[in-house]
Amino acid sequence: MLGKALRGSVYANAIEALTDLIARTGSVPSMEEIAAHMDVAQDDLDRMFPDIEHLIIAMAESAMMVLHQTLIDCVAAVGRDDPVEQFLAIAYAYVEWGRLYPREFRIIGSMPAGNFEGNDRLMRYEASIHELMVRLLERAKVLNLIAQDQDLVTFVSIAHTFAYGVVSKMLLGDLARWNPGLSDVDAARHNLRVFILELLRLADRI
């Protein structure tokens, strides 16, 4: 039986090995390739992860945990008196997360809906992020910073879809040429700010 420390080491190292091999080859490796990359016995890896799907889910959970904490930290760093800027901080943090974790971003984005929705931890992280976004917009309404007739749930859905597309284009290196003078990362931040403020009817803040 694996000891607690070894189990933790195998778990973390397996996730790192998966993302490393995907980055090198562009495809999902086999469990045998991951064990060889880690230089561990196949049986030790199999005890932790029965198959590659379980390992991919573990990687997604780890990445979503990092995203969740990153968003909370970025929101907390902005003054509470401006929930609109706090909402924008979420968008900027999403860009930074995608930049730092491009492999995880792509794998999570390509996961079949059934796999994502069938995982309670992934759904809790996602729900918590969406609830934070809605709460900030509700505070913006109370402070009369945005229109009272804004459909907040639909707005969050649209903003999430747009942000995913922007970060995807950023990772392809395909934003800077549409935004002369800006890097891909700066273009992503700029485009998200303009989109969000326009949709919130706050063009004067752009």
Side-chain angles (χ1 to χ4, degrees):
M1 181 179 294
L2 289 171
K4 184 175 180 181
L6 182 56
R7 285 201 304 274
S9 175
V10 171
Y11 189 95
N13 290 344
I15 291 174
E16 179 59 31
L18 172 64
T19 55
D20 186 42
L21 287 171
I22 289 175
R24 292 187 188 184
T25 67
S27 60
V28 177
S30 67
M31 294 296 282
E32 290 79 10
E33 290 170 322
I34 291 171
H37 186 74
M38 295 170 62
D39 194 23
V40 299
Q42 181 74 45
D43 288 346
D44 288 345
L45 184 60
D46 290 342
R47 289 190 192 99
M48 186 69 63
F49 303 103
D51 51 45
I52 192 64
E53 285 73 22
H54 282 79
L55 180 51
I56 289 174
I57 289 293
M59 185 221 66
E61 290 175 358
S62 177
M64 285 293 287
M65 179 177 65
V66 171
L67 172 61
H68 182 260
Q69 190 59 51
T70 300
L71 299 186
I72 290 174
D73 291 344
C74 287
V75 168
V78 179
R80 281 182 51 82
D81 60 337
D82 195 342
V84 172
E85 284 298 327
Q86 287 183 312
F87 191 90
L88 289 167
I90 290 178
Y92 302 152
Y94 186 66
V95 170
E96 185 64 7
W97 177 73
R99 183 184 72 82
L100 293 175
Y101 302 95
R103 297 163 293 187
E104 291 85 343
F105 173 86
R106 292 188 179 103
I107 289 176
I108 291 174
S110 64
M111 285 178 67
N115 289 3
F116 194 98
E117 293 167 0
N119 184 282
D120 289 341
R121 279 191 285 260
L122 290 177
M123 289 299 290
R124 281 199 299 271
Y125 283 129
E126 182 182 76
S128 178
I129 291 169
H130 285 189
E131 287 166 9
L132 173 61
M133 295 167 76
V134 171
R135 274 202 315 273
L136 291 175
L137 294 176
E138 286 173 342
R139 285 191 60 239
K141 269 191 178 183
V142 170
L143 295 173
N144 291 313
L145 296 176
I146 62 175
Q148 297 300 307
D149 62 348
Q150 282 280 358
D151 180 346
L152 303 186
V153 173
T154 299
F155 178 85
V156 167
S157 175
I158 293 171
H160 172 264
T161 302
F162 184 79
Y164 177 78
V166 166
V167 175
S168 297
K169 296 283 279 183
M170 177 191 78
L171 294 178
L172 290 172
D174 193 31
L175 277 185
R177 67 191 178 93
W178 296 96
N179 298 87
L182 297 179
S183 67
D184 284 302
V185 172
D186 288 339
R189 290 168 56 93
H190 171 75
N191 289 356
L192 280 171
R193 182 179 184 88
V194 171
F195 177 82
I196 289 169
L197 293 179
E198 286 282 4
L199 209 57
L200 289 174
R201 305 170 212 167
L202 298 172
D204 59 310
R205 293 182 60 158
I206 296 174

